[in-house]
Amino acid sequence: MRVVPFLKMHGLGNDFVVLDARGQKLDLTPEQRRRLGDRHLGVGFDQMVTLENPVTPGADVFMRLHNADGSEARACGNATRCIAARIMGEKKNGHALIETVSGLLPAESLGNGLIAVDMGPAGLDWQQIPVAAPCDTLHMPVALGSLADPVGVNVGSSHAVFFVDDVDVVNLPVVGPQLENHSFFPMRANIEFAEIIAPDRIRMRVWERGAGITLACGSGACATLVAAARRGLTARKGEVIVDGGTLTIEWLENGHVRMTGPWTLSYEGRIDLDSLVGGHG
């Protein structure tokens, strides 16, 4: 038996199982990750977060991400806030530098349970998204029925933002997987549907690559604000309202995207990693 502790955390309902591999080796197979993410047979999560020793000098921790389908993810804004809060608690100060496969993410506590994260520069070139052919990412040639003309943005991971009149009428379970796996996105993509409410307010729903429908997506909220500002639909700072709550996003003049929102520790537990195989409890 390999019984290890874990944390269950969430940012606006986007939920995570956090495993700490800084002092031990935790090599989970894709099957084990999928089973751990199963809400009936495991613990359940949108993403699994593994804390590892940092590689870059000055970084506090390396945050590795896996989706519920077992695949590796490159970025997750909501998870970054949760891990930043955890590291700040360990350090007993209000700053953390989180290392990811997409780069270094500085975070700071603003008090009242809010964490601000610099999510890095928004990638706007077609090769940064990436997409299958050269194009203007402000108007990408992707369509599915009445859904068309998305904006491409990379905020640590690939995003395609569709602007619609009413996000609540979009049939996410049907169109989400089709667009995620569209041939124009060779590495798949996170799909956002955005409704402009005011120059500083956007309503957004999301289909996350490898996770499906989630209550919130931090990098998706960042991509949505950037896409709206590029189209001239909003200012460079505003609130993005997701199913789980509200994030404040600012596209800074230096091209970086700053995300502010809450974090929550739901509970702590222990799990036998060897039980995460088909046929076992």
Side-chain angles (χ1 to χ4, degrees):
M1 293 177 63
R2 283 193 301 158
V3 179
V4 299
F6 70 88
L7 305 177
K8 186 69 184 292
M9 307 184 81
H10 76 85
L12 297 179
N14 187 190
D15 65 330
F16 318 104
V17 164
V18 182
L19 299 174
D20 195 337
R22 288 175 291 180
Q24 59 186 325
K25 192 171 183 179
L26 299 177
D27 289 330
L28 273 68
T29 65
E31 179 192 356
Q32 287 175 310
R33 291 194 290 266
R34 287 191 294 270
R35 191 170 177 89
L36 181 59
D38 190 299
R39 298 187 185 278
H40 300 287
L41 304 176
V43 179
F45 58 73
D46 292 324
Q47 279 85 30
M48 184 186 88
V49 182
T50 306
L51 304 183
E52 301 176 4
N53 294 316
V55 177
T56 302
D60 293 306
V61 71
F62 188 99
M63 179 181 76
R64 192 172 302 280
L65 300 162
H66 287 91
N67 295 312
D69 68 356
S71 63
E72 187 165 4
R74 297 189 60 84
C76 179
N78 291 316
T80 304
R81 293 198 314 279
C82 290
I83 299 311
R86 185 70 178 181
I87 296 301
M88 290 175 193
E90 293 177 0
K91 295 173 59 181
K92 297 182 169 39
N93 68 37
H95 295 271
L97 185 59
I98 312 300
E99 187 175 12
T100 72
V101 294
S102 295
L104 296 171
L105 305 178
E108 64 174 320
S109 171
L110 303 183
N112 298 317
L114 294 177
I115 300 285
V117 179
D118 181 340
M119 294 291 290
L124 308 179
D125 184 80
W126 70 273
Q127 293 173 305
Q128 294 174 300
I129 305 304
V131 294
C135 74
D136 176 4
T137 61
L138 191 56
H139 298 280
M140 295 196 300
V142 175
L144 180 63
S146 62
L147 298 167
D149 193 32
V151 180
V153 185
N154 187 303
V155 184
S157 57
S158 310
H159 296 270
V161 183
F162 291 80
F163 291 97
V164 297
D165 294 330
D166 185 351
V167 295
D168 292 317
V169 303
V170 176
N171 193 341
L172 271 182
V174 172
V175 301
Q178 294 182 65
L179 290 168
E180 173 195 355
N181 294 285
H182 194 284
S183 60
F184 200 61
F185 305 121
M187 296 178 64
R188 299 187 293 167
N190 297 277
I191 309 297
E192 285 79 31
F193 301 97
E195 174 186 342
I196 304 300
I197 298 174
D200 61 351
R201 287 173 69 83
I202 307 171
R203 170 81 170 98
M204 184 268 279
R205 298 184 70 204
V206 61
W207 177 274
E208 285 200 55
R209 176 177 60 183
I213 298 172
T214 61
L215 295 179
C217 176
S219 62
C222 293
T224 296
L225 188 282
V226 170
R230 289 182 70 198
R231 284 270 177 97
L233 302 173
T234 65
R236 293 175 71 101
K237 181 178 181 179
E239 294 182 338
V240 178
I241 304 164
V242 295
D243 287 345
T246 300
L247 293 166
T248 299
I249 310 296
E250 183 174 8
W251 188 19
L252 303 172
E253 293 300 328
N254 65 2
H256 286 229
V257 187
R258 181 177 166 92
M259 170 199 62
T260 302
W263 65 279
T264 301
L265 171 63
S266 300
Y267 59 87
E268 301 182 28
R270 297 174 66 82
I271 189 164
D272 176 12
L273 297 182
D274 292 331
S275 72
L276 300 174
V277 211
H280 296 278

